[in-house]
Amino acid sequence: MVLHIGDSFLMAGFSQALRPKMKAVGALYEVRSEQASYTTSWHLKLAKLVGDYHPDLVIINLGANEVTLTDPAARADAVERLVKIVGDRPCVWVSPPLWRKDTGIIEVFRKHISPCRFFDSDAVAGPISRQPDGIHPDNPGGAAWADAFFRWLLAERAPAPKDGEALPKGSGRHAVNPWRLRPEKNAGGPSPSPQKTAQTQP
């Protein structure tokens, strides 16, 4: 069971391209998106979804509406609350592919999402094509983003557990969580490159 939440970027070709990939590996894939949503607006919704679906893996696509915040550090508590709701389940926070230089929200994610893993969309997926607004990915851009993410996700799955190894609990369908991920090797990583600017909110 994979639960995937996020803002409008999630529905800009990304989840649509990811769904058949998840189906191909036998995953049940539940997507919940809310346009113009923020890290501060998902706590109650995420708690209910986790309680309803008991996911083995949680994927979070948030931050696109927060790349221009004047005080991004103020969102650290909200980010940590979301991660706390996820609990000990495997989790990946997917950064928005930037269309302009952010004011610091990406660094807030890097510092405050542990033990979730961080997927740096700009560093791994590279430049992607956009809709006419210059912000949201178009269908080919979303598909390229999803391809890069899914290759990374499969590569980051943990090997078979060792005897006595402490493991996160799965949804109850499996003795060992099928989406266990490797520990983070380098929480820093390369910084994303600035993209062209735009005023519209995703």
Side-chain angles (χ1 to χ4, degrees), residues 3 16 74 95 116 142 144 167 186 201:
L3 173 64
Q16 295 91 331
S95 69
C116 289
L167 300 174
N186 180 9
Q201 271 199 339

Side-chain angles (χ1 to χ4, degrees), residues 25-26 30-31 34 36 48 62 76 85 123 129 146 148 154 168 177 191:
V25 296
E30 287 291 332
V31 176
E34 187 172 294
K48 185 178 188 305
L62 290 173
I85 291 167
S129 54
L154 293 183
N177 189 310
S191 299

